Amino acid sequence: MALARVAVIAFALAAGTLAIGCSAESSDVEAADEQALTTAKTLTKGISSPTGLAVTSTHVYFGSNHFVASGDPELDQQMAYWEGKYSRVGISGGRREVVTDIGPITNVRTVGSKLYFRMSGGCWISAVDTTAATIEVKPVYTQSDCGEYGLTDFEVTNDALVVLNFDGPILRGKPSGSDMTQIADLRIGTTAPFFDAAVLADGALYVLSTRSLFDNQNHSIPQALYRVGVEDGVVTKLFDVTSSPSNVVSDGKNVFWTEKGTDIVALAAGSNQPKTIATGLRHVVELAADGTNVYAADSERNAIYVVKDALGTPKKKKLADAKGVQAIAVDGDKLYFATDAYENNKPAGIIGVIKLPQ
């Protein structure tokens, strides 16, 4: 089951009670003036707080969002909110087109010609045919009551749509959104949001519980990583986690994440022993993986890094400078990215592209 060619939204994961493998690099903190391997091209600009970066054969899809507030702290506790638009631009640049006039769009997956998406806190999933002559957004799945947190996440393959409800149930149905049935329930203790996030890898769903679960006696339940079979719904707890990881992605078989915002960790297919593959970054905000290499967006260094041969003999290098980088997505021999910036009180972030060096 092929994963979408998207920048997977941050997914917290950790090595837990298992020992992390030795780092591939013992002292790899780069100097601030490290030479980048390549430079970037701007496809479009005027972006702020980007989300939902995804790439198809013809377009780059992205959200641009802003915070609406009155400036009154007491009033804004209840009334402030985020809003945005989800748009696309050609992979070579050109005119920007609006896909949907809502946002923030936070979860995006592509399968075949379809791009599936949902809004943060929403109880629905919609899709657009990326090959159609005109943009037409169609509803795929709606849940009448998914709680105050909305649907936590979803994954889609050529054969199935898998939906994660905020409090533990996992549903599976057809990619059209029909015939949805519950295949698993990871509900434990209180009904606080169960899922931190999830990612599809090696034919299964890897799920991380939140850090806010308590049993009926109000005892804290350790955060843990689970493996859930997409076909049979069999749940296997892999291990407890004790750190605060994030930015989990999959290349279709293996899972990668960051710890402390500075280290990159890999969990190879079929293994339950995580291994650190890179250290010395400053503040990673997103990862991407292509089956051979892993890419990291470091917002403090304003740069994008590559870890070559991630599961073999990993070697980290600075790929390109990208001030304000917030999101990345790799597709073939190109890496696309989104930045967040303001100039003269106006959005000045960009959607850019890098041709990956051989």
Side-chain angles (χ1 to χ4, degrees):
M1 286 179 269
L3 276 183
R5 297 174 297 180
V6 302
V8 181
I9 304 303
F11 166 50
L13 191 64
T17 56
L18 297 178
I20 297 288
C22 293
S23 169
E25 302 167 66
S26 59
S27 59
D28 59 348
V29 179
E30 276 77 12
D33 60 352
E34 179 191 0
Q35 184 67 39
L37 297 178
T38 186
T39 57
K41 172 188 174 182
T42 298
L43 300 180
T44 189
K45 52 189 176 181
I47 309 300
S48 62
S49 299
T51 58
L53 187 65
V55 185
T56 69
S57 61
T58 57
H59 290 86
V60 183
Y61 291 75
F62 60 93
S64 183
N65 311 284
H66 62 274
F67 193 59
V68 180
S70 67
D72 183 326
E74 185 173 340
L75 181 63
D76 288 341
Q77 283 186 347
Q78 296 182 343
M79 304 300 292
Y81 61 95
W82 282 91
E83 66 177 13
K85 293 181 179 180
Y86 197 60
S87 305
R88 72 181 187 182
V89 65
I91 57 174
S92 298
R95 184 175 62 89
R96 188 189 310 182
E97 299 175 280
V98 174
V99 176
T100 183
D101 198 13
I102 58 174
I105 299 299
T106 53
N107 300 81
V108 182
R109 306 289 184 268
T110 60
V111 173
S113 65
K114 294 288 185 67
L115 182 142
Y116 297 76
F117 62 89
R118 63 173 286 272
M119 187 174 73
S120 175
C123 294
W124 51 264
I125 299 168
S126 294
V128 60
D129 185 343
T130 63
T131 62
T134 57
I135 298 173
E136 183 180 2
V137 176
K138 295 183 179 181
V140 173
Y141 175 75
T142 302
Q143 192 162 305
S144 58
D145 180 15
C146 60
E148 62 178 302
Y149 301 96
L151 302 176
T152 297
D153 207 342
F154 72 92
E155 289 288 351
V156 63
T157 71
N158 290 323
D159 305 313
L161 172 68
V162 181
V163 174
L164 291 78
N165 286 354
F166 82 102
D167 56 350
I170 300 176
L171 289 74
R172 181 184 188 275
K174 296 179 180 179
S176 63
S178 63
D179 299 335
M180 299 295 292
T181 58
Q182 182 172 307
I183 61 170
D185 191 346
L186 278 70
R187 194 183 335 239
I188 300 174
T190 66
T191 56
F194 180 88
F195 299 107
D196 200 341
V199 65
L200 192 64
D202 200 27
L205 200 63
Y206 286 79
V207 176
L208 183 75
S209 61
T210 67
R211 293 186 289 266
S212 57
L213 293 176
F214 296 86
D215 64 19
N216 293 331
Q217 285 72 47
N218 206 35
H219 298 138
S220 178
I221 299 173
Q223 195 174 13
L225 179 68
Y226 298 83
R227 184 184 187 277
V228 182
V230 174
E231 298 295 334
D232 55 20
V234 172
V235 177
T236 303
K237 181 180 177 180
L238 298 180
F239 45 79
D240 291 336
V241 297
T242 55
S243 61
S244 300
S246 57
N247 304 312
V248 173
V249 297
S250 167
D251 60 10
K253 292 188 68 65
N254 312 290
V255 181
F256 305 89
W257 65 92
T258 59
E259 292 187 347
K260 301 176 292 185
T262 61
D263 302 339
I264 302 176
V265 179
L267 182 67
S271 172
N272 63 357
Q273 182 65 55
K275 177 184 177 182
T276 302
I277 60 171
T279 61
L281 294 154
R282 290 286 181 81
H283 183 61
V284 177
V285 291
E286 191 154 65
L287 296 178
D290 63 8
T292 302
N293 306 320
V294 174
Y295 306 87
D298 190 327
S299 64
E300 187 169 324
R301 283 210 174 108
N302 293 310
I304 299 169
Y305 289 82
V306 57
V307 182
K308 294 187 175 183
D309 192 19
L311 293 176
T313 307
K315 182 67 174 178
K316 173 165 63 66
K317 291 290 186 181
K318 183 178 179 181
L319 183 61
D321 294 308
K323 186 177 181 179
V325 63
Q326 294 293 311
I328 53 176
V330 63
D331 181 37
D333 64 351
K334 294 183 176 62
L335 183 140
Y336 300 83
F337 65 93
T339 69
D340 182 28
Y342 274 82
E343 293 179 0
N344 299 320
N345 293 320
K346 294 182 178 181
I350 70 166
I351 302 299
V353 60
I354 299 165
K355 183 168 178 57
L356 297 173
Q358 297 299 314

